Amino acid sequence: MARIRRSPHFKDGVFQNPGGTARTRPSGSARDLAKAYFDKDGRSRRAPHGDIPVHPTTLADISRPPATGLRLTWMGHSGVLVEIDGHRVLFDAVWGERCSPLPLVGPKRLHPVPLPLAALGPVDVVVISHDHYDHLDLPTIKALAGTDTLFAVPLGVGAHLEHWGVSADRLRELDWHETTKVGGLTLTATPARHFCGRGLRNTQHTLWASWVVTGEEHRVYHSGDTGYFDGFRDIGAGHGPFDATMIQVGAYSDFWPDIHMTPEEGVRAHLDLQGGAAAGALLPIHWGTFNLAPHPWAEPAEWMADVAGEAGQAVAFPRPGAPFEPAGSLPTDPWWRALSRPVPRVWGRPSPGDGAPQPRGGDLDLAGDR
């Protein structure tokens, strides 16, 4: 608490978002929110119609070093194994069956994990973006507590891990703009626009963060959960450009526009991080694994493919568990389409061959001021 109170981002008893207050509770009426969630047609679109084609990650996939020095394996939701310049970094590891405080209630995963946690092999550092249940998973942390891996977490989150059996000497607990070294890597906690808490009474006493990881040859960025804000430009100017970004593009809604990004905003954030240029590889995260918002299950991928194509930005769409190297051939097969009803277009570009304009979902100008 002494470190928390000294933080320049802690004011009036709570951590503050960059740029001022962000709405962390759903806006609009409870009736409208319930209608969005329980609409029969909408509910049928919020889950895949069939089994998600998970790549069963094997030791052969991840035991040989990446040819280019950088390899990413999306484990589902926001979990990514990053193999960078001879080190292994695991972001937001969630191997549990539900993202919930209760074992039998709450959002259940829509696909199995690509491999058992014990089969993952040694990891140099586990990076946590914030303490929400779909990013900080009790069963996963308890399993990792029995290894010798280090944990990099935002300020205040270390208390959870110590309570669950992780010794304090294995924690690297950072405020925004602080850095730590793990082997040949430099990890920096960077700002994000979100909130924290693992209960109904949110005390805002644990910080949320995005993360920059820099090795000898490569650098990557993981957004955690965040709304769009001008700070992406500053992060890019200070730490970029990046070989790959992992950007949250799912679980958005008009009911909470300040704390999650749409795919259109996600592309804009990536371009900001890259100094305004379409460069590096973008990996969409925070979609496909849990049903956490009213939008159709496949909409983040469809919208992302569309708006990134318009911006000329390379995007990777791997099946969960399938490793890829950002400097190599990116996975681009739209595998989700076989499992999804047609997604109603709510963004700006017309469908191919359709000259009629469509209603917008975000009203962001990708060609505008960044």
Side-chain angles (χ1 to χ4, degrees):
M1 283 303 301
R3 282 193 64 199
I4 288 171
R5 292 190 181 104
R6 289 196 302 267
S7 170
H9 312 111
F10 192 77
K11 182 181 178 182
D12 298 328
V14 296
F15 278 111
Q16 305 288 326
N17 267 299
T21 302
R23 288 175 291 172
T24 61
R25 300 294 184 188
S27 60
S29 70
R31 179 180 179 182
D32 288 342
L33 182 61
K35 182 178 178 181
Y37 267 100
F38 294 108
D39 174 76
K40 183 177 180 181
D41 183 63
R43 289 180 64 187
S44 71
R45 297 178 186 273
R46 292 206 302 271
H49 297 269
D51 294 334
I52 294 174
V54 175
H55 176 84
T57 316
T58 65
L59 187 60
D61 288 323
I62 54 179
S63 61
R64 62 183 184 280
T68 62
L70 178 64
R71 181 167 58 210
L72 276 60
T73 306
W74 181 47
M75 297 297 177
H77 201 55
S78 294
V80 186
L81 174 67
V82 175
E83 298 165 276
I84 175 171
D85 298 337
H87 298 80
R88 306 177 88 221
V89 182
L90 183 60
F91 287 95
D92 282 358
V94 174
W95 258 253
E97 190 65 16
R98 295 180 185 272
C99 49
S100 168
L102 303 173
L104 300 177
V105 179
K108 185 178 180 180
R109 61 171 52 250
L110 300 173
H111 64 78
V113 291
L115 81 169
L117 189 60
L120 189 62
V123 174
D124 294 289
V125 58
V126 175
V127 178
I128 304 297
S129 64
H130 63 295
D131 67 3
H132 286 161
Y133 287 90
D134 56 323
H135 297 261
L136 179 63
D137 180 54
L138 171 60
T140 304
I141 298 300
K142 282 194 168 183
L144 291 167
T147 71
D148 59 0
T149 189
L150 300 177
F151 294 83
V153 301
L155 185 57
V157 174
H160 294 302
L161 276 67
E162 287 190 69
H163 184 63
W164 299 339
V166 178
S167 60
D169 62 350
R170 290 167 54 198
L171 294 174
R172 306 292 184 267
E173 196 166 358
L174 306 184
D175 200 348
W176 292 340
H177 309 298
E178 292 182 342
T179 64
T180 189
K181 293 279 190 179
V182 176
L185 300 179
T186 300
L187 286 76
T188 305
T190 46
R193 189 168 173 79
H194 199 56
F195 68 110
C196 66
R198 293 175 71 83
L200 294 176
R201 290 185 294 179
N202 182 5
T203 60
Q204 297 288 82
H205 282 172
T206 61
L207 189 60
W208 49 96
S210 57
W211 288 87
V212 171
V213 177
T214 304
E216 293 181 1
E217 301 290 338
H218 297 90
R219 58 186 62 211
V220 299
Y221 171 85
H222 188 284
S223 72
D225 278 0
T226 181
Y228 179 81
F229 70 116
D230 289 343
F232 292 116
R233 304 172 194 173
D234 298 329
I235 295 169
H239 302 281
F242 299 96
D243 298 281
T245 68
M246 296 153 273
I247 303 288
Q248 170 264 305
V249 299
Y252 48 83
S253 172
D254 290 341
F255 290 103
W256 48 82
D258 293 350
I259 55 173
H260 282 287
M261 291 191 291
T262 67
E264 189 170 9
E265 290 170 317
V267 170
R268 184 171 178 176
H270 173 89
L271 297 177
D272 287 351
L273 289 161
Q274 303 292 50
L282 192 167
L283 172 63
I285 59 172
H286 205 266
W287 78 280
T289 303
F290 296 105
N291 180 355
L292 300 176
H295 63 67
W297 170 74
E299 184 180 278
E302 287 289 350
W303 193 353
M304 170 59 71
D306 195 30
V307 72
E310 184 179 20
Q313 174 58 51
V315 179
F317 290 108
R319 292 165 172 80
F324 71 94
E325 301 194 25
S329 178
L330 297 183
T332 58
D333 176 51
W335 52 267
W336 59 86
R337 289 179 181 165
L339 308 173
S340 170
R341 291 174 56 189
V343 176
R345 296 175 65 85
V346 295
W347 50 98
R349 294 179 68 200
S351 300
D354 179 4
Q358 304 293 316
R360 289 196 67 84
D363 291 327
L364 285 175
D365 179 10
L366 287 173
D369 176 35
R370 298 190 184 97

